[in-house]
Amino acid sequence: MTGFITGLAGLAYAYLIWNAIAFLIGVAPFGLQAMDWVALLFAAVLPALVFTAAIVLARRRPLWQFIIALLAGLGLSAVFWLNVLSYMMRSIAMA
């Protein structure tokens, strides 16, 4: 059961990574500043780091705690992604 839950959560985290890379490719022609590149690249890397950390920290816990750790990490990654989107919209609008 833990493997199934990990697989489902992995798909959700992979969607965040895919979304960040697609957005990076989409806005790259607009001429990004150095900070824009850092924010977008970190937005693509952070979900993988958080997913790994959640699995390592909760792997020996009961199933419900494992699920909560994965959901908390997914929430953290999603909030960071929304912050990056907000930053990029302001950055592109000012250019």
Side-chain angles (χ1 to χ4, degrees), residues 2-95:
T2 303
F4 179 72
I5 299 297
T6 303
L8 284 178
L11 288 173
Y13 281 92
Y15 178 73
L16 285 174
I17 294 169
W18 182 269
N19 215 6
I21 292 171
F23 187 75
L24 174 62
I25 292 169
V27 298
F30 292 111
L32 300 176
Q33 303 278 333
M35 188 60 189
D36 300 343
W37 281 102
V38 169
L40 286 172
L41 289 174
F42 193 62
V45 171
L46 182 74
L49 295 175
V50 171
F51 180 66
T52 304
I55 288 176
V56 167
L57 292 174
R59 67 179 175 228
R60 294 195 173 120
R61 302 269 182 195
L63 184 61
W64 68 273
Q65 290 177 353
F66 183 72
I67 293 170
I68 289 175
L70 288 172
L71 287 175
L74 189 62
L76 175 73
S77 297
V79 166
F80 183 75
W81 172 242
L82 289 175
N83 285 333
V84 168
L85 279 178
S86 173
Y87 169 75
M88 288 306 300
M89 292 302 152
R90 281 183 277 144
S91 178
I92 291 172
M94 289 182 184

